[in-house]
Amino acid sequence: MENLIIGIDRFKFFTGVSQSFDAKYIEPLIIQATDLAAQNVLGTALMVKLRTDYNEGTLTGVYQELYNSDKASVEKMVIYQALILGLPRMLYKIGAETISTGDTDEVSSIGTDELSLLQRQASASKAFYENQVIDYLRNNKESFPELENNEPDYLKANLTDRDTSQGTTYSINRFYEI
């Protein structure tokens, strides 16, 4: 298993995903969510620092506060980004040269309308935590030397774009409409 920035058990706890849902399906979602959410906001240097400290159990001070506190939560930002990515994969099965949905005698799949609602709700949660993280970093920028990392292969932190969706519908100009 690859070093992740969040725990699979925490993902399951916050999202209500069944404990029997196989971790091998969740791990790639967390990796992708880390790239899309955490690295985009934090930049590569700070994301690597948080992931390393999380896995070594050495998160302290402002890094712990940024990772998960009442002031900011990178953990929850990544959890809800992973959920957004995972919901369609929980409904649709890809394989054998086809994409299908499956029903059994005991369970029936939700439709695309219900899936869209769940994704909007997860998106609203992710937007809240992402904005909280951006505000925290703006207010404490001097505490994070990683934000000044100028290595060319690293993404820089993005503390200017804010997600204003709060679960409403997306329009082309990055503003959200009811």
Side-chain angles (χ1 to χ4, degrees), residues 9-137:
D9 288 341
R10 295 285 284 172
F11 172 85
K12 289 180 177 183
F13 173 78
F14 279 100
T15 62
V17 170
S18 168
Q19 289 301 318
S20 64
F21 195 78
D22 197 324
K24 72 180 180 183
Y25 298 114
I26 298 171
E27 183 179 355
L29 299 173
I30 294 172
I31 293 167
Q32 187 178 10
T34 301
D35 292 343
L36 294 174
Q39 191 168 197
N40 180 51
V41 172
L42 305 172
T44 305
L46 184 53
M47 185 274 303
V48 168
K49 165 90 171 127
L50 287 178
R51 184 179 62 205
T52 301
D53 287 2
Y54 168 77
N55 283 285
E56 293 176 358
T58 57
L59 278 169
T60 60
V62 291
Y63 295 100
Q64 174 61 47
E65 201 167 66
L66 173 65
Y67 183 77
N68 191 20
S69 72
D70 291 340
K71 297 176 184 176
S73 185
V74 168
E75 178 188 46
K76 292 173 188 161
M77 179 179 73
V78 173
I79 285 171
Y80 287 105
Q81 178 66 57
L83 181 60
I84 293 164
L85 296 168
L87 284 167
R89 296 174 190 174
M90 293 174 190
L91 176 61
Y92 300 106
K93 295 165 189 65
I94 301 172
E97 299 180 15
T98 187
I99 298 174
S100 61
T101 76
D103 289 340
T104 67
D105 292 338
E106 298 177 26
V107 178
S108 58
S109 297
I110 63 171
T112 55
D113 289 344
E114 292 92 350
L115 176 62
S116 294
L117 175 62
L118 290 173
Q119 285 180 304
R120 284 193 306 276
Q121 290 170 338
S123 180
S125 295
K126 183 232 166 207
F128 173 82
Y129 292 113
E130 181 178 288
N131 292 335
Q132 189 184 51
V133 165
I134 289 170
D135 289 343
Y136 184 83
L137 288 173

Side-chain angles (χ1 to χ4, degrees), residues 146-154 156:
E146 297 83 4
L147 295 176
E148 300 303 321
N149 190 309
N150 290 320
E151 291 187 37
D153 293 340
Y154 277 21
K156 294 195 182 334

